[in-house]
């Protein structure tokens, strides 16, 4: 499987720096699980951050910081507890990064199209969900408002911007205008982080706009 | 550089983390703390934490190092890189509050835990030097914007103000620097 569409440098750097919101982070993480090239850049930027950390002029810690931390270490159990079993959504075929999160139910959003929300800990301005569309689904053209990250987990879709297959990544913003068609063969499943309300963007906006109010 | 200029025992922080993992070595831990906690604090302050938060989070990061030292792989990351990712994960967790029982930092894949690369025997210093070499190929003004936007998480508008540059210049400078960095550090391991 060749990945042709990657996350942008800025998005990957923000991921490495830890400054992406949770919703976008999950979608990027699902792409990283499959894309060695993007993983390489994220790792490279982590090394850059490591060097910058190393070269930073130190700020003195509070006087009792070390003693305090040593005391906490003394209270640590000698054997590390196994990481608590993670709940709910450990399903085969799903990205590992989704494991800690519960999902809502699949919901019908239009002919041949379903969505399933990933339940985030708190309301964020970016929402994440799985989107499933049967082969051949054609979507009406739409203009965009807000940004959208899409990680293609299975199947494919095509629009003026290119052909997107499993493993690919798409970033759409308010300048993008597309008329996507779901590819033949396999059902298309995407993980999507969508910013803002209504007037939805990109592939997903085109899918959802006629059908649901989000 | 003459070999005998080197100190007899070169401090390698990676080896200290390994000592913490294997022997629960408290003096190695204290040395790691003395070196990294004040740097983490400086980083966290620059990234927007107040003095007290930064102090607390830096302590928390070192405590996490103690707990997770056995997951550190010195063939894949330097101590500084690994410790940065710990602090980064704590920081993002903290910013979105606690939720359920997801252990701190565990939802973010440790991207440095990667398939092994051919060069397995680099020391911390050598690995760091490679990154520094890559960075030296960028002009200083590009390094500066990367430092401010990527590392310190400053908004573009703020950077423009700090550097006295038009916003557009800052944006294009960041874009150009990122493109170069992708080539330079994309396959550093």
């Amino acid at each position: 499987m060749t990945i042709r569409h990657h996350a942008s440098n800025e998005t990957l750097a923000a991921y490495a720096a830890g400054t992406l919101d949770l919703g976008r982070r999950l979608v990027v993480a699902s792409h990283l699980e499959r894309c060695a090239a993007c993983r390489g850049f994220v790792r490279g930027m982590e090394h850059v951050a490591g060097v910058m950390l190393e070269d930073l002029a130190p700020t003195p810690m509070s006087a009792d910081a070390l003693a305090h931390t040593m005391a906490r270490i003394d209270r640590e159990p000698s054997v590390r507890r196994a990481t608590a079993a993670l709940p709910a959504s450990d399903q085969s075929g799903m990205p590992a990064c989704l494991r800690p999160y519960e999902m809502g139910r699949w919901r019908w959003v239009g002919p041949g199209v379903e969505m399933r929300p990933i339940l985030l800990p708190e309301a964020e301005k970016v929402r994440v969900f799985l989107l499933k569309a049967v082969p051949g689904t054609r979507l009406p053209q739409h203009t965009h408002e807000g940004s959208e990250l899409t990680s293609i987990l299975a199947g494919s879709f095509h629009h003026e911007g290119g052909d997107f297959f499993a493993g690919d990544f798409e970033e759409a913003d308010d300048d993008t205008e597309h008329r996507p068609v779901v590819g033949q063969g396999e059902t298309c499943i995407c993980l999507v982080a969508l910013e803002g309300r209504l007037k939805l963007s990109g592939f997903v906006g085109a899918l959802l706009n006629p059908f649901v109010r989000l | 550089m003459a070999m005998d200029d080197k100190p007899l025992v070169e401090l390698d922080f990676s080896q200290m983390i390994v000592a913490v993992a294997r022997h629960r070595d408290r003096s190695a831990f204290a040395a790691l703390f003395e070196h990294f906690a004040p740097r983490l604090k400086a980083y966290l302050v620059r990234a927007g934490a107040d003095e007290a938060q930064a102090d607390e989070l830096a302590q928390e990061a070192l405590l996490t190092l103690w707990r997770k030292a056995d997951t550190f792989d010195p063939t894949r990351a330097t101590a500084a890189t690994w410790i940065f990712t710990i602090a980064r994960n704590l920081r993002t967790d903290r910013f979105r509050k606690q939720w359920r029982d997801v252990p701190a930092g565990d939802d973010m894949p440790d991207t440095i835990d990667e398939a092994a690369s051919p060069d397995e025997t680099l020391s911390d210093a050598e690995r760091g030097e490679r990154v520094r070499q890559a960075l030296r190929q960028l002009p200083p003004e590009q390094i500066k914007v990367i430092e401010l936007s990527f590392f310190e998480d400053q908004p573009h508008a703020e950077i423009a103000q700090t550097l006295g540059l038009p916003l557009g210049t800052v944006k294009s400078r960041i874009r150009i620097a990122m493109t170069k960095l992708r080539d330079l550090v994309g396959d550093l391991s």
Side-chain angles (χ1 to χ4, degrees):
Chain A
M1 182 185 64
T2 312
I3 293 171
R4 293 186 222 181
H5 299 279
H6 298 273
S8 70
N9 295 339
E10 287 76 8
T11 298
L12 293 171
Y15 180 91
T19 51
L20 281 186
D21 56 83
L22 178 59
R24 288 189 177 97
R25 222 161 76 206
L26 288 173
V27 177
V28 174
S30 75
H31 175 67
L32 291 176
E33 287 175 21
R34 297 184 180 212
C35 183
C38 288
R39 272 200 312 270
F41 182 54
V42 167
R43 198 164 61 245
M45 290 308 285
E46 288 171 347
H47 284 304
V48 169
V51 162
M52 287 178 169
L53 179 68
E54 188 64 59
D55 293 349
L56 217 47
T59 299
M61 293 290 286
S62 54
D64 61 348
L66 178 57
H68 185 233
T69 307
M70 285 305 221
R72 286 177 74 188
I73 280 171
D74 290 335
R75 293 195 296 272
E76 286 282 300
S78 55
V79 181
R80 193 156 77 96
R81 274 165 306 177
T83 303
L86 293 172
S89 47
D90 188 3
Q91 297 172 5
S92 62
M94 282 293 125
C97 62
L98 292 182
R99 267 179 216 150
Y101 302 95
E102 281 183 50
M103 298 185 193
R105 284 179 299 113
W106 281 107
R107 290 206 298 250
W108 186 92
V109 288
V113 183
E114 290 178 81
M115 67 139 14
R116 182 177 198 185
I118 313 299
L119 305 177
L120 298 186
E122 58 192 84
E124 307 221 8
K125 68 183 168 71
V126 175
R127 279 151 305 150
V128 194
F129 50 89
L130 292 165
L131 195 86
K132 192 159 76 175
V134 298
T137 308
R138 280 179 176 278
L139 304 138
Q141 188 150 8
H142 276 78
T143 52
H144 300 141
E145 191 177 283
S147 81
E148 168 193 309
L149 302 185
T150 305
S151 167
I152 295 93
L153 306 179
S156 63
F157 64 83
H158 315 276
H159 58 50
E160 296 84 337
D163 301 332
F164 294 80
F165 295 91
D168 281 336
F169 191 87
E170 188 191 19
E171 298 191 25
D173 59 25
D174 45 9
D175 299 328
T176 324
E177 187 169 327
H178 287 147
R179 181 182 287 179
V181 179
V182 176
Q184 292 301 331
E186 211 182 332
T187 295
C188 182
I189 303 176
C190 298
L191 181 66
V192 182
L194 186 64
E195 180 183 35
R197 306 181 60 80
L198 269 175
K199 256 235 161 174
L200 305 173
S201 62
F203 172 61
V204 172
L207 281 175
L208 301 187
N209 219 3
F211 306 112
V212 282
R213 284 164 312 173
L214 275 178
Chain B
M1 184 176 63
M3 287 299 285
D4 35 45
D5 285 347
K6 285 193 172 182
L8 205 57
V9 180
E10 195 166 317
L11 287 186
D12 190 316
F13 294 111
S14 296
Q15 285 160 16
M16 293 184 189
I17 300 176
V18 173
V20 168
R22 293 207 186 131
H23 312 298
R24 309 267 77 187
D25 185 326
R26 294 166 58 97
S27 60
F29 178 79
L32 287 161
F33 190 101
E34 300 282 11
H35 184 77
F36 283 108
R39 284 173 174 77
L40 286 175
K41 184 174 178 179
Y43 154 65
L44 292 161
V45 167
R46 282 164 186 244
D50 68 34
E51 179 95 13
Q53 280 174 333
D55 204 281
E56 189 205 324
L57 220 50
Q59 291 184 43
E60 199 66 36
L62 268 295
L63 188 65
T64 305
L65 178 152
W66 176 266
R67 287 175 182 153
K68 295 179 75 175
D70 61 338
T71 67
F72 172 68
D73 181 347
T75 65
R76 291 171 195 166
T78 65
T81 299
W82 189 63
I83 290 168
F84 168 78
T85 62
I86 289 177
R88 168 197 74 187
N89 292 359
L90 284 175
R91 180 174 160 246
T92 50
D93 284 346
R94 187 62 59 96
F95 284 174
R96 68 181 157 87
K97 301 172 196 159
Q98 286 309 314
W99 121 271
R100 304 208 329 229
D101 294 308
V102 179
D106 280 9
D107 69 321
M108 194 150 178
D110 291 332
T111 45
I112 50 175
D113 290 350
E114 242 320 290
S117 68
D119 281 323
E120 293 302 355
T121 51
L122 292 181
S123 71
D124 256 24
E126 288 164 330
R127 237 170 246 280
E129 187 47 38
R130 278 187 165 196
V131 178
R132 286 191 178 85
Q133 263 171 22
L135 289 175
R136 276 197 288 274
Q137 298 185 47
L138 264 60
E141 68 270 16
Q142 287 180 13
I143 298 282
K144 189 70 195 169
V145 291
I146 292 294
E147 207 172 276
L148 293 173
S149 81
F150 160 71
F151 187 61
E152 298 184 14
D153 192 20
Q154 289 193 25
H156 293 177
E158 209 169 293
I159 297 172
Q161 205 167 22
T162 310
L163 301 180
L165 292 169
L167 184 58
T169 308
V170 169
K171 287 187 175 187
S172 65
R173 208 172 267 184
I174 290 172
R175 202 166 43 241
I176 292 165
M178 280 294 173
T179 307
K180 285 192 195 159
L181 275 176
R182 181 142 193 169
D183 290 338
L184 291 168
V185 305
D187 55 1
L188 277 181
S189 171

